[in-house]
Amino acid sequence: MNRNFYFIGIAFFGMINGIFNQLALIFALLYVQLLAGPLLFGSLSLTLMFASLMVSTATVILGGIPAAIYERVTGAPESNNVSLWIWLAGVALLTLPAAGNFLKIGL
């Protein structure tokens, strides 16, 4: 399979988790309001979008840790199909709490 499809899937699951995971979004929103509120002009909508971006990025990073460990253990010089599958599965598992909201609300 083309490597781009893995990256599209990883980005899709990260986006779904960033938008629809209410617990992580509220947690990130509290910190963004304190730390970046003045930078975002005190706008709640901008703050919410930035918090959503933070949750999406954290999902992709945390989902990639098992793939990085696999690459380190096997000594692979670059990502292969197995490590990309591990990355995709890790991000998909992190997205499970948000899947119910996504299926209920939809895009």
Side-chain angles (χ1 to χ4, degrees):
M1 186 159 68
N2 191 358
R3 294 170 58 111
N4 292 335
F5 293 125
Y6 292 115
F7 295 131
I8 290 170
I10 290 166
F12 174 75
F13 283 126
M15 176 191 67
I16 295 303
N17 197 33
I19 295 172
F20 293 104
N21 192 344
Q22 294 174 349
L23 182 63
L25 194 57
I26 290 172
F27 181 72
L29 183 63
L30 292 173
Y31 283 104
V32 169
Q33 280 182 334
L34 291 174
L35 299 174
L39 294 174
L40 299 172
F41 308 111
S43 171
L44 184 60
S45 60
L46 284 175
T47 309
L48 185 61
M49 289 299 228
F50 189 70
S52 175
L53 182 64
M54 283 178 49
V55 172
S56 297
T57 304
T59 302
V60 171
I61 290 171
L62 290 175
I65 291 173
I69 292 171
Y70 169 78
E71 288 178 6
R72 180 73 173 200
V73 168
T74 59
E78 63 180 32
S79 296
N80 54 15
N81 285 340
V82 176
S83 65
L84 288 174
W85 268 112
I86 293 171
W87 193 5
L88 182 64
V91 173
L93 285 175
L94 288 173
T95 306
L96 282 178
N101 289 336
F102 172 69
L103 294 175
K104 184 171 52 174
I105 298 170
L107 283 177

